[in-house]
């Protein structure tokens, strides 16, 4: 039998007070994101009533401030009374793409999901998409017979220091934003 | 896509197709002449031109451009309301139109809600009402919204049937033109108000605790 090698790791002591302070500051800042998103959505929605709405949207697009497709998502968010309800604001994920998927669910259904804590600020894009597919009007893209499926295999090797599983999870979430792409992880 | 294929693919959408360098407008035929579909295309070197049932009509470029500008200007108006009707409600509305053989639907505000009434305007003609057999049927649904002023607009059912079933964003213009934009579609559909109101009134009765509707009989 070989010799057992014993290792002792000395962890630096954690300054919990400082950690809590940092978490509090970051949380405060992160929470502002949802309020800013909702405010922008409400402004876009409000200006939809203006005779100049078409020019306003075109200029925002042309100056590359907000793309037309993102404006469409934000307007959809503002049109959903549950997402606009202040009582639920702190429960919403602060990403317009996630909110865009949630806006496809009718407000009464969305309220029950929020009350059941099935939607939280940590709701990911794929969670939101799945909820919209299950409870909303979002449909899975139908493939016609003519359409050819293309498959790509991607093999990834990670250094032992890298959390490969977490990275792959993150990567899959990004890829699944695109319609018509499914990812299988082996 | 070639221009000829593009024109063919749009033939069921209406009688006239107006093509500009990057956009198009399709005007409904006799059954739904209150509808204009507006969209953008990526055809290479498309001439400004007009087609009637797929055949080119000779009209000057200036006139066509002026017509297109007129259509676009229909959107440049203030709005009474901007709201979403979700796909399942759109489906219900279309099913009601089919079931009742409805000619019209009226969209109107009640406080912060929007009500959609589906009806056959021929039923309200006194000469068509013969006893109880011809009982008057109407369907209506209520939709939660966040931003509306007082309004009422009546749309032609035939035009509504032409719009793809999906979540719809509706913008009710003060000029009597409603713009419907389905989520799935990059096109917009402009529909003109038919200025018809079914002779029925609804209200919530606090004393009875029910919704009451009264129909004004033509006789």
């Amino acid at each position: 039998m070989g010799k057992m090698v014993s290792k002792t790791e000395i962890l630096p002591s954690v300054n919990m007070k400082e950690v809590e302070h940092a978490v509090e500051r970051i949380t405060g800042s992160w929470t502002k994101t949802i309020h800013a998103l909702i405010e922008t959505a409400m402004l876009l929605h409000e200006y939809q009533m203006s005779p100049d709405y078409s020019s306003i949207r075109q200029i925002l697009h042309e100056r590359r401030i907000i793309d037309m497709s993102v404006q469409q998502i934000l307007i959809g968010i503002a049109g959903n009374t549950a997402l606009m309800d202040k009582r639920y604001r702190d429960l919403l994920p602060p990403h317009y793409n996630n909110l865009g998927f949630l806006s496809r669910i009718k407000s009464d259904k969305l309220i029950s999901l929020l009350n059941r804590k099935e939607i939280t600020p940590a709701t990911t894009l794929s969670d939101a998409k799945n909820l919209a597919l299950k409870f909303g009007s979002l449909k899975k893209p139908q493939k016609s017979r003519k359409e050819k499926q293309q498959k790509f295999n991607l093999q990834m090797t990670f250094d032992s220091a890298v959390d490969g599983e977490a990275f792959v999870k993150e990567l899959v979430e990004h890829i699944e934003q695109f319609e018509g792409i499914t990812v299988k992880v082996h | 896509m070639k221009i000829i294929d593009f024109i063919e693919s749009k033939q069921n959408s209406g009688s006239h197709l107006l093509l500009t360098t990057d956009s198009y407008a399709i005007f409904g035929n006799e059954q739904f002449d209150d509808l204009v579909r507006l969209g953008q295309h990526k055809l290479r070197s498309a001439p400004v031109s007009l087609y009637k049932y797929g055949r080119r009509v000779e009209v000057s470029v200036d006139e066509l451009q002026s017509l297109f500008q007129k259509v676009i200007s229909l959107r440049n108006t203030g709005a009474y309301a901007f709201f979403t009707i979700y796909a399942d409600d759109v489906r219900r509305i279309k099913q009601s139109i089919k079931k009742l053989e409805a000619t019209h639907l009226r969209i109107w505000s009640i406080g912060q809600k929007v009500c959609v009434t589906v009806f056959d305007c021929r039923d309200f003609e006194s000469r068509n009402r013969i006893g109880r057999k011809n009982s008057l049927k109407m369907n209506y649904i209520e939709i939660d919204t966040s931003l509306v002023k007082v309004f009422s607009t009546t749309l032609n059912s035939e035009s509504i049937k032409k719009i793809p079933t999906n979540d719809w964003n509706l913008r009710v213009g003060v000029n009597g033109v409603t713009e419907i934009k389905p989520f799935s579609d990059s096109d917009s559909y402009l529909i003109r108000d038919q200025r018809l109101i079914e002779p029925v009134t609804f209200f919530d009765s606090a004393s009875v605790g029910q919704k009451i509707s009264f129909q004004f009989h033509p006789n």
Side-chain angles (χ1 to χ4, degrees):
Chain A
M1 269 177 86
K3 272 187 180 176
M4 290 282 284
V5 180
S6 66
K7 264 190 181 177
T8 311
E9 196 177 353
I10 301 166
L11 294 168
S13 65
V14 176
N15 183 342
M16 277 315 288
K17 202 178 165 188
E18 227 167 77
V19 169
E20 282 299 335
H21 180 61
V23 169
E24 203 175 296
R25 284 184 68 195
I26 294 165
T27 310
S29 171
W30 190 230
T31 317
K32 281 182 202 160
T33 318
I34 184 69
H35 292 276
L37 267 174
I38 297 286
E39 194 188 334
T40 313
M42 282 166 78
L43 280 171
L44 272 167
H45 194 260
E46 186 187 317
Y47 280 109
Q48 279 291 117
M49 312 276 267
S50 153
D52 306 317
Y53 82 102
S54 172
S55 308
I56 295 167
R57 290 187 58 182
Q58 197 58 40
I59 290 171
L60 286 168
H61 175 78
E62 280 168 8
R63 291 187 188 165
R64 299 188 175 188
I65 299 163
I66 312 177
D67 186 86
M68 204 56 99
S69 60
V70 178
Q71 289 182 39
Q72 198 59 29
I73 294 172
L74 290 170
I75 287 167
I77 293 167
N80 189 302
T81 47
L83 294 178
M84 288 299 102
D85 193 326
K86 282 182 183 167
R87 288 172 297 173
Y88 301 110
R89 198 153 296 170
D90 292 337
L91 299 175
L92 300 174
H95 307 273
Y96 69 82
N97 272 327
N98 306 25
L99 291 170
F101 280 125
L102 297 179
S103 74
R104 306 291 297 271
I105 304 169
K106 276 176 88 173
S107 50
D108 48 351
K109 186 72 213 170
L110 201 54
I111 286 171
S112 76
L113 290 169
L114 285 159
N115 287 333
R116 294 207 306 261
K117 304 272 187 285
E118 286 188 47
I119 296 167
T120 67
T123 297
T124 63
L125 187 71
S126 68
D127 292 341
K129 190 178 178 180
N130 287 335
L131 287 170
L133 282 167
K134 194 173 174 187
F135 301 109
S137 52
L138 190 71
K139 282 181 185 161
K140 277 188 179 172
Q142 287 182 340
K143 293 184 186 90
S144 72
R145 283 182 187 173
K146 283 180 189 170
E147 273 178 6
K148 285 179 188 167
Q149 277 199 343
Q150 296 181 54
K151 275 187 183 176
F152 296 98
N153 289 319
L154 180 68
Q155 195 170 349
M156 299 174 95
T157 319
F158 297 97
D159 197 295
S160 58
V162 177
D163 184 354
E165 212 169 299
F167 177 76
V168 169
K169 200 179 165 194
E170 201 183 341
L171 187 68
V172 168
E173 260 184 28
H174 278 286
I175 295 172
E176 283 187 337
Q177 283 185 39
F178 302 100
E179 279 196 20
I181 296 182
T182 49
V183 184
K184 275 186 184 174
V185 182
H186 301 286
Chain B
M1 191 188 261
K2 287 179 185 172
I3 292 179
I4 193 162
D5 297 327
F6 178 79
I7 295 164
E8 208 179 304
S9 70
K10 304 290 178 198
Q11 275 212 38
N12 289 335
S13 301
S15 58
H16 290 74
L17 166 68
L18 171 57
L19 205 62
T20 70
T21 46
D22 61 355
S23 308
Y24 65 87
I26 302 172
F27 302 87
N29 65 20
E30 296 77 14
Q31 272 188 312
F32 50 97
D33 60 0
D34 54 314
L35 176 75
V36 181
R37 177 177 170 179
L38 281 173
Q40 291 197 313
H41 66 75
K42 286 179 181 168
L43 297 167
R44 278 187 196 168
S45 57
V48 178
S49 45
L50 181 72
Y51 301 85
K52 184 180 180 184
Y53 291 113
R55 286 192 162 191
R56 189 159 176 177
V57 182
E58 285 309 319
V59 185
S60 75
V61 171
D62 285 351
E63 275 181 280
L64 293 179
Q65 275 172 338
S66 147
L67 174 62
F68 192 74
Q69 282 314 311
K70 270 187 190 167
V71 175
I72 293 294
S73 72
L74 293 174
R75 302 159 101 182
N76 300 336
T77 174
Y80 289 123
F82 181 80
F83 56 95
T84 305
I85 303 184
Y86 287 90
D88 52 349
D89 287 334
V90 169
R91 215 166 284 122
R92 270 183 213 128
I93 289 168
K94 285 193 173 183
Q95 280 164 358
S96 287
I97 289 173
K98 199 175 170 188
K99 201 173 166 188
L100 301 181
E101 292 179 13
T103 54
H104 294 85
L105 64 136
R106 186 163 77 94
I107 308 174
W108 44 290
S109 59
I110 333 171
Q112 276 303 301
K113 284 188 175 188
V114 165
C115 187
V116 182
T117 320
V118 177
F119 63 97
D120 183 344
C121 75
R122 294 164 298 190
D123 285 350
F124 297 106
E125 294 252 346
S126 56
R127 62 176 178 273
N128 290 341
R129 291 185 52 80
I130 315 160
R132 289 187 176 211
K133 276 186 182 175
N134 271 14
S135 68
L136 195 144
K137 281 182 186 167
M138 276 177 28
N139 287 352
Y140 87 102
I141 55 167
E142 278 181 5
I143 293 156
D144 283 328
T145 56
S146 51
L147 198 65
V148 284
K149 293 175 189 168
V150 177
F151 78 95
S152 167
T153 186
T154 305
L155 309 176
N156 176 8
S157 301
E158 288 301 321
S159 302
I160 289 296
K161 286 183 198 168
K162 289 279 168 192
I163 305 172
T165 304
N166 204 290
D167 294 345
W168 286 355
N169 271 339
L170 283 90
R171 184 178 187 275
V172 184
V174 294
N175 61 350
V177 173
T178 296
E179 182 177 354
I180 300 181
K181 202 166 168 46
F183 272 46
S184 58
D185 210 324
S186 54
D187 291 2
S188 285
Y189 297 79
L190 308 182
I191 311 186
R192 199 176 54 240
D193 182 7
Q194 301 297 303
R195 301 185 187 282
L196 258 174
I197 293 182
E198 72 284 10
V200 176
T201 184
F202 303 92
F203 66 95
D204 283 311
S205 164
S207 54
V208 184
Q210 297 258 341
K211 280 183 181 169
I212 307 287
S213 62
F214 277 128
Q215 185 226 330
F216 301 109
H217 197 280
N219 289 329

